[in-house]
Amino acid sequence: MSDYKWCHGTNCHKSHTLDRVRGSKGSKVLRTRKIKQESDRSWYHPDQVFNYFCSQNCLMSFMRTHIQRIVALDPRNEPKETPINDPTKNEYGYISIKERVDTITD
């Protein structure tokens, strides 16, 4: 069964494209796009960003409008770090960086 969600883009309903035009002659409107939710597909995942936005432009307009509220969900007051082994160079000059797996002892 497929459902639909409306695009969350803040300016989606203002884009001048033919697929957004709705209404009868004399009372036309530009409407936000519908996004098909295909839960019966094996590749579908409900947390993918494009289940909520019809295009990257709509995603970025939403981000620009709501960035302070988005960042407030998980504020970063200190840097995050991942422990690594010392970087090594191979014979071609490429640097290899591997995450260190620390064992926890009780």
Side-chain angles (χ1 to χ4, degrees):
M1 183 174 152
S2 295
D3 294 317
Y4 290 91
K5 290 188 180 177
W6 294 104
C7 177
H8 284 63
T10 53
N11 294 318
C12 187
H13 65 287
K14 295 179 182 179
S15 294
H16 293 233
T17 59
L18 289 178
D19 65 326
R20 290 181 171 97
V21 176
R22 295 289 183 264
S24 58
K25 190 174 185 178
S27 61
K28 298 278 187 191
V29 295
L30 290 171
R31 183 180 289 167
T32 300
R33 283 181 176 160
K34 275 185 178 180
I35 303 162
K36 192 172 185 179
Q37 307 295 301
E38 301 188 47
S39 56
D40 56 338
R41 303 285 178 137
S42 61
W43 50 265
Y44 173 81
H45 193 277
D47 295 333
Q48 290 179 350
V49 72
F50 289 108
N51 290 327
Y52 302 96
F53 299 96
C54 66
S55 67
Q56 191 159 354
N57 187 36
C58 282
L59 169 62
M60 290 295 115
S61 74
F62 181 87
M63 293 284 289
R64 281 188 296 273
T65 303
H66 300 290
I67 190 66
Q68 294 299 322
R69 291 171 52 193
I70 294 168
V71 171
L73 293 172
D74 188 14
R76 240 352 96 71
N77 298 325
E78 2 180 292
K80 285 188 149 191
E81 295 180 346
T82 302
I84 61 170
N85 293 323
D86 291 336
T88 57
K89 268 189 183 177
N90 66 11
E91 59 190 277
Y92 304 108
Y94 294 109
I95 296 175
S96 174
I97 297 176
K98 294 184 180 171
E99 290 185 20
R100 188 173 68 226
V101 180
D102 293 332
T103 56
I104 300 172
T105 57
D106 292 325

